[in-house]
Amino acid sequence: MAKRAIGIDIGGTKIAGALVDEAGQIVREARVVTPAGDSAAIVDAVVGLVEELALGEQVIGVGVAAAGFIDAEQANIVYAPNLSWRNEPFKAKLEARLSIPVIIENDANAAGWAEYRYGAGRGSKHMTMLTIGTGVGGAVIVNSQMLRGGFGIAGELGHIRVVPNGRLCGCGAHGCIEQYGSGTALLRAARELADSGEANGARLRELRHSAGELTGEQVYQAILERDAGALAILSELGSWLGQTIASLSAVLDPEIVVIGGGVSAAGDLLLEPIRQAYLENMPARGFRPELKLKVAEFVNDAGVVGAADLVRMSLSQR
């Protein structure tokens, strides 16, 4: 029997689902709008997706990826700021309505696992992933195992503090890398440059006037055009990330760091300043191996593929 599993990825605006085979290939997929303000409606939406994807199939399990802190039992969503979940017994609610085993997983962990198993990190045993999007997410693979920590919430790499008493973060602390190395930080820096009146902000001002408010898509357009101002702020973002990776290498010693999320679409334009800052800040440079830096291979499907594979792995280990 084919060991197909279902992966669900709950985002702030949409819930994606996919039936995934053992090779990480998507067999069937579907998505719905996230009813973000209604936890009961989210349960209904996930159950509906699972039932649709499982129709006519023998499904062994469901992995659900969600942004937030997931407990060590992979059962409860302890804290999910974007969906207002607090100690939500999501696994129990789903299993009460489905005749299929369910696990809950952090969304960045799920994406990282997809890259480790089937993407940029395949072939390694020790991989770290940073997802650079609205915030900064993380996943840590140690000796081919997901690092979850004593309470299940390891790998929240976006909340490593890089600036003492720095910018206030959504987590309540000050100076987290998420405030300096995320897509949100990039957009904030671009808007500040456009407002500054400086010469290298001219293209960003021009793009802003066409839409009224500078958007992430316009900043990306300026980056692709090799605009000097846009490249400067991207380089600064990459520098923050490279410094963070240098610190992570001292603790985790990964073979490879995979950069994912929306900002990773900039490719080498982002990787080069990351690599330069990593090398400049690398502990004991010249006396230890240098890790590899790669852009994630999955674009939109990492969460569902990773979540499906993680539930398959969980069931095989029982």
Side-chain angles (χ1 to χ4, degrees), residues 159-179:
H159 300 293
I160 293 172
R161 191 168 74 160
V162 293
V163 180
N165 303 313
R167 292 173 182 147
L168 177 64
C169 183
C171 73
H174 289 260
C176 297
I177 183 60
E178 184 165 291
Q179 297 305 306

Side-chain angles (χ1 to χ4, degrees), residues 110-128:
W113 188 258
E115 292 294 338
Y116 165 73
R117 287 274 286 159
Y118 306 110
R122 63 187 177 276
S124 66
K125 288 187 176 180
H126 302 269
M127 186 201 92
T128 299

Side-chain angles (χ1 to χ4, degrees), residues 39-219:
S39 59
I42 292 176
V43 173
D44 291 340
V46 171
V47 169
L49 275 177
V50 170
E51 291 175 342
E52 178 183 347
L53 292 166
L55 193 63
E57 297 282 346
Q58 290 183 303
V59 175
I60 63 168
V62 179
V64 179
F69 295 174
I70 313 300
D71 68 4
E73 287 71 38
Q74 294 180 275
N76 302 298
I77 301 173
V78 178
Y79 175 69
N82 293 333
L83 295 169
S84 300
W85 276 327
R86 305 292 185 272
N87 296 311
E88 177 75 8
F90 205 57
K91 172 184 169 76
K93 288 184 176 181
L94 291 176
E95 287 189 334
R97 296 178 56 183
L98 297 168
S99 57
I100 310 171
V102 174
I103 65 162
I104 312 300
E105 185 58 82
N106 171 269
D107 60 343
N109 280 355
W113 188 258
E115 292 294 338
Y116 165 73
R117 287 274 286 159
Y118 306 110
R122 63 187 177 276
S124 66
K125 288 187 176 180
H126 302 269
M127 186 201 92
T128 299
M129 182 167 175
L130 287 168
T131 56
I132 316 302
T134 303
V136 175
V140 179
I141 314 296
V142 177
N143 202 24
S144 302
Q145 298 291 319
M146 181 74 71
L147 180 67
R148 291 199 170 85
F151 302 101
I153 53 178
E156 289 290 336
L157 304 182
H159 300 293
I160 293 172
R161 191 168 74 160
V162 293
V163 180
N165 303 313
R167 292 173 182 147
L168 177 64
C169 183
C171 73
H174 289 260
C176 297
I177 183 60
E178 184 165 291
Q179 297 305 306
Y180 300 87
S182 64
T184 301
L186 183 72
L187 182 56
R188 179 178 60 237
R191 288 173 173 172
E192 289 173 356
L193 180 58
D195 289 340
S196 70
E198 295 179 13
N200 66 348
R203 180 56 177 152
L204 293 171
R205 283 192 293 276
E206 182 180 308
L207 290 167
R208 180 185 62 187
H209 288 319
S210 69
E213 177 73 290
L214 194 64
T215 66
E217 290 77 11
Q218 290 170 329
V219 176

